[in-house]
Amino acid sequence: MLAKIEELLKEVESMTASNAEELEALRIKYLSKKGAINALMVDFRNVPADQKKEVGMKLNELKNRAQERINTLKETFENQDACSDELDLTRTAYPIGLGTRHPLSIVRNEIIDIFGRMGFTIADGPEVEDDWHVFSSMNFPEDHPARDMQDTFFIESHPDIILRTHTSSVQSRVMEVSQPPIRVICPGRVYRNEAISYRAHCFFHQVEGLYVDKNVSFTDLKQVLLQFAQEMFGPETKIRLRPSYFPFTEPSAEMDISCDICGGEGCPFCKYTGWVEILGCGMVDPAVLDANGIDSKVYTGYAFGMGVERIANLKYKVKDLRMFSENDTRFLKEFESAN
């Protein structure tokens, strides 16, 4: 019987099947009630007593090896079936269209990249803010008329909690916990209680910048903004700075760039002036530095802020700002090549 067991063991080890039907035939041949291994189990009663232990161990080994081999072949066929199921022959032959980055994301990332190469790091803060970081720390006293410049969303149950109207609140948080030199940009979404139209929305996106160190001058600010404008809109771009007013900067200015449509000659887009406004800027007011724990007698700084929608509008000539937030795929597909 030992010789017969060894013979069957060799057959089991070399067992192969090309399909499930052949595998089932092998199972019946070796492991069924009428199979070869069960027949040996029936003959086991005739084995002499002194050989039963050895023969019994060999029989169990044969049965286990046969079952393992059958299971291995079965898993192979199941895996092949699973792979074949992944091929859906009913699918269209055309490739599935890929998504694109949103135009605001494209412009925001480009702004971040330009200032990143000039040494600015990214700072972030909460969109739901307190009055101190949005207004008071930025030189907006309680009765200051400048608060009327921005229509604010207030949390009714907590009048000191608001939706931030600008990302200057992030600058305040950075100055609270850092000492100069500070060189950051603050991209983020802001909210203002304004009527929605083709030129305004109740939420939009800003990128603000802050640089605080010893001996920072307005000349430094102008050079940084010129570098940004020429990288964003082209090397021939010119800038001009017009005096303005912001509570948190003194002196303050608004920056225009030469119209890239008419080359500064005048057209309907620039209202025949040859210039288009893109951002506000200025030297950080000493009161803002002091309020945020920085000695204004030692350090100076500049700040600037721009609307991402405004920059995207200038780059892509989008006439209706509402298009940026309506998720119209026909509009978004126009920016596939800009990714």
Side-chain angles (χ1 to χ4, degrees):
M1 179 172 282
L2 287 174
K4 182 61 175 178
I5 292 175
E6 290 294 336
E7 182 182 346
L8 288 178
L9 190 59
K10 291 180 181 179
E11 291 183 14
V12 165
E13 294 290 349
S14 61
M15 220 170 24
T16 58
S18 57
N19 52 55
E21 288 77 12
E22 291 183 6
L23 181 61
E24 178 63 14
L26 290 173
R27 187 194 68 79
I28 293 173
K29 177 180 178 182
Y30 292 101
L31 294 173
S32 67
K33 287 184 178 182
K34 296 182 179 180
I37 295 176
N38 196 59
L40 290 178
M41 294 287 189
V42 173
D43 289 341
F44 181 70
R45 69 186 68 174
N46 300 321
V47 174
D50 59 337
Q51 299 180 13
K52 280 187 179 294
K53 182 177 179 181
E54 180 183 3
V55 174
M57 292 176 61
K58 285 290 185 180
L59 270 176
N60 286 332
E61 180 186 355
L62 173 61
K63 184 176 181 180
N64 291 336
R65 289 298 300 137
Q67 189 64 61
E68 289 173 4
R69 186 60 182 162
I70 293 292
N71 290 340
T72 300
L73 293 173
K74 184 178 180 181
E75 289 177 4
T76 302
F77 293 132
E78 288 177 349
N79 292 336
Q80 290 177 351
D81 291 341
C83 292
S84 63
D85 289 343
E86 293 176 2
L87 180 61
D88 185 359
L89 299 178
T90 65
R91 287 179 56 182
T92 175
Y94 297 101
I96 298 174
L98 297 177
T100 65
R101 290 193 183 274
H102 194 280
L104 295 183
S105 296
I106 296 171
V107 172
R108 182 196 60 202
N109 291 343
E110 188 172 356
I111 294 171
I112 291 173
D113 178 66
I114 292 172
F115 284 108
R117 285 186 271 114
M118 289 191 277
F120 288 81
T121 58
I122 298 176
D124 194 14
E127 295 182 9
V128 180
E129 263 289 11
D130 56 61
D131 181 273
W132 165 258
H133 290 97
V134 175
F135 290 127
S136 299
S137 67
M138 290 288 115
N139 203 31
F140 287 81
E142 289 291 338
D143 57 350
H144 200 292
R147 286 180 180 260
D148 296 333
M149 294 171 57
Q150 301 175 2
D151 296 324
T152 307
F153 285 106
F154 290 88
I155 306 300
E156 188 173 352
S157 58
H158 297 82
D160 289 335
I161 305 300
I162 61 179
L163 299 182
R164 66 184 181 188
T165 59
H166 50 201
T167 53
S168 301
S169 58
V170 182
Q171 298 179 18
S172 173
R173 289 185 174 273
V174 170
M175 287 188 284
E176 281 182 339
V177 298
S178 307
Q179 283 297 307
I182 297 171
R183 194 194 301 257
V184 296
I185 54 173
C186 313
R189 181 180 293 183
V190 298
Y191 305 84
R192 295 184 187 176
N193 188 12
E194 297 182 358
I196 298 175
S197 67
Y198 74 96
R199 58 182 300 176
H201 211 291
C202 62
F203 71 87
F204 54 98
H205 301 79
Q206 281 187 337
V207 175
E208 296 196 27
L210 173 71
Y211 177 40
V212 180
D213 203 351
K214 295 179 179 178
N215 302 317
V216 177
S217 68
F218 204 96
T219 302
D220 300 322
L221 169 62
K222 182 179 179 181
Q223 185 58 43
V224 164
L225 295 181
L226 175 61
Q227 179 74 16
F228 163 73
Q230 291 182 341
E231 290 208 34
M232 176 63 73
F233 298 102
E236 304 301 320
T237 303
K238 299 176 182 178
I239 68 170
R240 73 175 184 183
L241 297 170
R242 295 179 287 105
S244 186
Y245 167 75
F246 303 106
F248 32 83
T249 53
E250 180 59 39
S252 303
E254 291 180 345
M255 190 182 91
D256 303 330
I257 62 169
S258 54
C259 180
D260 61 346
I261 294 179
C262 63
E265 297 297 324
C267 67
F269 186 78
C270 63
K271 299 179 181 178
Y272 300 98
T273 65
W275 298 94
V276 181
E277 177 193 341
I278 66 165
L279 59 83
C281 60
M283 300 300 294
V284 179
D285 193 301
V288 172
L289 294 176
D290 291 333
N292 289 280
I294 295 177
D295 190 347
S296 62
K297 294 182 176 61
V298 178
Y299 298 102
T300 56
Y302 63 69
F304 56 84
M306 67 191 77
V308 178
E309 280 85 348
R310 179 67 169 166
I311 304 298
N313 184 31
L314 294 174
K315 282 183 67 71
Y316 301 125
K317 311 301 182 293
V318 179
K319 296 181 180 180
D320 191 337
L321 294 181
R322 291 172 294 190
M323 295 294 292
F324 289 126
S325 58
E326 290 181 348
N327 292 327
D328 187 331
T329 56
R330 296 169 299 178
F331 169 72
L332 298 177
K333 283 184 179 294
E334 297 177 13
F335 298 91
E336 288 180 337
S337 61
N339 284 284

